[in-house]
Amino acid sequence: IISNRQVFVFPNLVLFDANIRVIQPLAVDHTVVASYAFAIPGVLPEMNSVRLLDVQRSLSTTGMVNTDDLEVFHATQTALGDGTGGWLTVSRGLTHETVGPDGERAGSFTDEIPVRAIYRGWVKQMTTSKEPAYAGG
């Protein structure tokens, strides 16, 4: 997290800046997002205090970053739910996204690479044939 600004761990864990975020879908139209700030061990306590204050100012529910994000999420959910929104486009950064030899995708921190990764992971989960753990009998 310290050297890579955003890391998404499929299916519902996001590590970014000084924040760990867990996304828990409860229903098709209801999701709980829990955020946890973390401290860096071994640094001066003042540094961690400044980091926590920064998280509160920018990433809390009323912070400078999340307020507009929450409005976008709400508007998107409303449009997708009532059928008037058309297609949801997640192509920002697609033209300059790079794929490494291990499959890792990279681009600018504002690109929608994590969103596309979620859908790729979901498609993989939904299309992978799995044997039942217990067949009965």
Side-chain angles (χ1 to χ4, degrees), residues 34-63:
S35 294
Y36 307 92
F38 69 92
I40 299 175
V43 301
L44 294 172
E46 295 81 18
M47 289 181 69
N48 282 321
S49 294
V50 168
R51 288 168 48 83
L52 178 59
L53 187 58
D54 182 57
V55 168
Q56 291 171 328
R57 281 191 208 137
S58 59
L59 299 174
S60 69
T61 304
T62 58

Side-chain angles (χ1 to χ4, degrees), residues 3-105:
S3 64
N4 188 350
R5 193 179 148 116
Q6 298 176 12
V7 177
F8 177 75
V9 181
F10 185 80
N12 67 335
L13 180 66
V14 184
L15 312 171
F16 63 99
D17 297 335
N19 202 345
I20 298 170
R21 185 167 283 174
V22 179
I23 305 163
Q24 186 63 47
L26 299 179
V28 69
D29 61 349
H30 187 81
T31 300
V32 172
V33 179
S35 294
Y36 307 92
F38 69 92
I40 299 175
V43 301
L44 294 172
E46 295 81 18
M47 289 181 69
N48 282 321
S49 294
V50 168
R51 288 168 48 83
L52 178 59
L53 187 58
D54 182 57
V55 168
Q56 291 171 328
R57 281 191 208 137
S58 59
L59 299 174
S60 69
T61 304
T62 58
M64 298 297 290
V65 174
N66 274 354
T67 50
D68 60 337
D69 288 351
L70 292 172
E71 180 58 32
V72 169
F73 297 151
H74 177 74
T76 301
Q77 184 67 35
T78 300
L80 291 173
D82 69 10
T84 63
W87 286 94
L88 179 62
T89 303
V90 290
S91 60
R92 185 175 38 194
L94 186 61
T95 59
H96 60 269
E97 180 177 303
T98 60
V99 182
D102 61 352
E104 179 182 10
R105 295 171 187 258

